[in-house]
Amino acid sequence: MSDEQKALLLDSVRKYHQEIQEERPFVPGVTEIWPSGAVLGVEERVALVEAALDLRIAAGRNARRFESAFARKLRVRKAHLCNSGSSANLLAVSALTSPQLGDRRLRRGDEVITVAAGFPTTVNPILQNGLVPVFVDIELGTYNATVERVAAAIGPKTRAIILAHAVGNPFPVAEMAELAKEHRLFLVEDNCDAVGSFYDGRPTGSFGDLATASFYPAHHMTMGEGGCVVTSNLVLARVVESLRDWGRDCWCAPGESNTCMKRFEHRMGSLPDGYDHKYIYSHVGYNLKTTDLQAALGLAQLARVDEFCASRRHNWRRLRDGLDGVPHLLLPEATPRSDPSWYGFVITVVPGAPFTVPELVDFLEERKIGTRRLFAGNLTRHPAYAGQPYRVVGELTNSDIVTSQTFHVGVYPGLTDEMIDYVVSSIREFVKTYG
Ligand SMILES: Cc1ncc(COP(=O)(O)O)c(C=O)c1O
């Protein structure tokens, strides 16, 4: 296809995009106010079609461009794309078990500190690697772990900490990194809900030994499905890449060969001398790669992520100001010294309130205002974790409160001021009926 034909086709895609856009007026109580969603525009449509026209299927040029751009954005040295945030967490935790880390590698039975209330796939890779999660409670209001709680959980078998920046709100990550360093522990930041957040003026995701991102449509930017592992540690970066790409030792990009200049001169394991490096496996790996079409979409979204994050901050602030002073509700607070790029607006109905969460949530859902729980709430109460090895340090009182009393509404960039104001007035109206 000539460049001219391609330009014409992409021009038609732009026109098509304009034509199918329809202004849908907001009708309170009728229009759905989603708790999350993707915002996709003309450039995303063009990027996907262009990648399809070029038949760029497997991860290639776009994936590499995305990885360098995303690493720059998070101010880290390396980024590795993968097919989901859950896979990114699996890669990050699995990387800590690599024999290439020598005596620092995590071994079966070692402990990893995390929180009890959050998303399951922050915790699952601990169990999937034969490690033992040690659960601590969270704080109400910030929904994060504190340094004191994590410090109290450190024992002789502790080797790592993995924590998510809860609903976009950074945990005290600089202090947590200090604590980890003091005790020779690895720190993994699950940054899946917090791309664009800052702590002490530095992007979250740039403090830990490793950090992860999710590009599922509910998150700050999307590829449909997708995730990323970032790190400034080049040894860990190689391990992540190996685990993502079948466990291979070779690092040549698809279609490349012999970038090490000694493809047939390696001696590894008990393989015959000179066995083709492309097929030497140094890890028991996976295939968790993306396609190049996903990366093309990701590049178009990355160009808009600052605008998306600004809109999330605006929507969160409007809800926070609008709901200030409403009785019986505990409103969210940013962690001190942080500038969160919020994932959602979390509300806890204070225990003893004259109404229940299901009553409030039903009222909102009737009005087409979408709500979600704080993910799993207390994970230890779910059937999946019955019989799994874990340790709990302290009481999980707040995790239990979150399980019965907490939910969130959306702040994603597709929401308008009118919608946010309707959410505020609906909550106010509901609470007022209870005096
Ligand atoms: C904190 C956290 N970690 C990990 C994930 C998993 O991401 P994905 O859905 O891309 O697998 C999520 C999903 O929402 C999440 O909220």
Side-chain angles (χ1 to χ4, degrees):
M1 178 184 296
S2 71
D3 285 352
E4 205 179 318
Q5 267 176 314
K6 189 167 149 188
L8 272 172
L9 269 169
L10 295 181
D11 215 37
S12 302
V13 172
R14 285 196 175 85
K15 283 193 192 116
Y16 169 77
H17 183 87
Q18 302 311 341
E19 269 165 30
I20 60 164
Q21 296 307 302
E22 39 173 311
E23 280 294 309
R24 280 193 224 108
F26 170 63
V27 184
V30 176
T31 310
E32 302 251 13
I33 302 179
W34 293 332
S36 66
V39 174
L40 300 165
V42 63
E43 289 314 320
E44 283 83 344
R45 200 181 290 274
V46 168
L48 276 173
V49 172
E50 192 178 8
L53 286 175
D54 292 349
L55 284 182
R56 276 188 244 124
I57 309 168
R61 201 173 78 204
N62 285 321
R64 285 199 293 277
R65 278 180 55 211
F66 182 89
E67 288 175 338
S68 358
F70 196 65
R72 268 199 309 282
K73 181 98 206 142
L74 263 62
R75 301 187 209 158
V76 293
R77 292 174 77 180
K78 289 282 178 188
H80 289 295
L81 261 182
C82 60
N83 60 4
S84 72
S86 304
S87 298
N89 284 341
L90 177 62
L91 285 170
V93 174
S94 305
L96 302 180
T97 68
S98 168
Q100 295 181 3
L101 302 182
D103 69 349
R104 285 206 71 195
R105 82 182 274 205
L106 272 59
R107 291 169 187 278
R108 288 189 167 269
D110 283 347
E111 292 184 347
V112 182
I113 300 171
T114 189
V115 293
F119 199 79
T121 55
T122 310
V123 172
N124 294 354
I126 304 174
L127 293 164
Q128 284 152 347
N129 276 289
L131 306 164
V132 178
V134 176
F135 292 117
V136 298
D137 207 4
I138 53 162
E139 264 189 326
L140 294 177
T142 66
Y143 304 97
N144 275 311
T146 61
V147 177
E148 295 69 33
R149 283 204 176 98
V150 172
I154 297 175
K157 288 183 151 188
T158 311
R159 296 285 178 271
I161 302 166
I162 179 167
L163 297 169
H165 296 293
V167 276
N169 196 15
F171 59 83
V173 61
E175 292 81 349
M176 213 65 87
E178 244 341 277
L179 180 76
K181 201 166 151 205
E182 215 177 286
H183 293 269
R184 271 193 107 221
L185 310 176
F186 288 107
L187 174 64
V188 179
E189 288 174 76
D190 177 339
N191 203 34
C192 287
D193 294 341
V195 167
S197 292
F198 288 86
Y199 190 84
D200 273 349
R202 249 175 80 184
T204 55
S206 66
F207 291 82
D209 296 283
L210 292 149
T212 60
S214 163
F215 304 130
Y216 186 71
H219 295 257
H220 294 59
M221 48 169 286
T222 189
M223 296 185 182
E225 294 283 358
C228 202
V229 184
V230 300
T231 180
S232 290
N233 178 324
L234 298 184
V235 175
L236 286 172
R238 273 285 313 278
V239 175
V240 166
E241 187 175 87
S242 170
L243 284 167
R244 182 196 62 181
D245 301 356
W246 309 281
R248 69 184 187 152
D249 197 66
C250 169
W251 57 85
C252 288
E256 277 180 347
S257 288
N258 206 21
T259 53
C260 62
M261 309 293 278
K262 48 175 190 176
R263 176 174 164 195
F264 298 108
E265 291 162 40
H266 287 268
R267 278 187 194 175
M268 293 183 79
S270 53
L271 286 164
D273 283 2
Y275 194 81
D276 188 348
H277 191 221
K278 264 187 174 300
Y279 293 96
I280 297 183
Y281 300 93
S282 46
H283 291 97
V284 179
Y286 306 90
N287 175 359
L288 300 175
K289 297 195 300 300
T290 49
T291 64
D292 222 45
L293 274 86
Q294 285 163 279
L297 177 57
L299 278 165
Q301 287 265 289
L302 190 58
R304 301 173 68 190
V305 76
D306 288 343
E307 169 204 325
F308 291 156
C309 295
S311 168
R312 286 174 175 275
R313 287 184 171 93
H314 169 86
N315 292 343
W316 187 91
R317 177 46 58 197
R318 201 170 176 94
L319 281 164
R320 186 68 180 72
D321 291 345
L323 292 172
D324 208 38
V326 176
H328 313 302
L329 301 184
L330 176 72
L331 300 183
E333 294 292 346
T335 306
R337 295 170 29 210
S338 76
D339 178 13
S341 168
W342 297 96
Y343 174 87
F345 188 91
V346 184
I347 297 173
T348 295
V349 173
V350 174
F355 52 86
T356 64
V357 170
E359 282 164 347
L360 172 52
V361 160
D362 280 355
F363 180 86
L364 296 176
E365 295 275 352
E366 281 271 302
R367 292 183 166 210
K368 305 280 184 243
I369 299 170
T371 62
R372 292 287 184 271
R373 285 303 187 137
L374 192 70
F375 308 127
N378 183 346
L379 280 161
T380 68
R381 294 195 175 275
H382 287 254
Y385 302 92
Q388 293 289 344
Y390 63 79
R391 194 158 72 80
V392 175
V393 175
E395 302 293 319
L396 298 181
T397 315
N398 293 338
S399 302
D400 280 336
I401 291 177
V402 154
T403 313
S404 56
Q405 304 290 118
T406 301
F407 68 99
H408 73 268
V409 292
V411 297
Y412 85 101
L415 302 179
T416 60
D417 283 356
E418 248 185 318
M419 291 171 170
I420 297 284
D421 293 347
Y422 183 60
V423 176
V424 168
S425 62
S426 297
I427 294 175
R428 283 190 167 274
E429 188 184 320
F430 175 84
V431 176
K432 210 165 165 199
T433 56
Y434 290 87

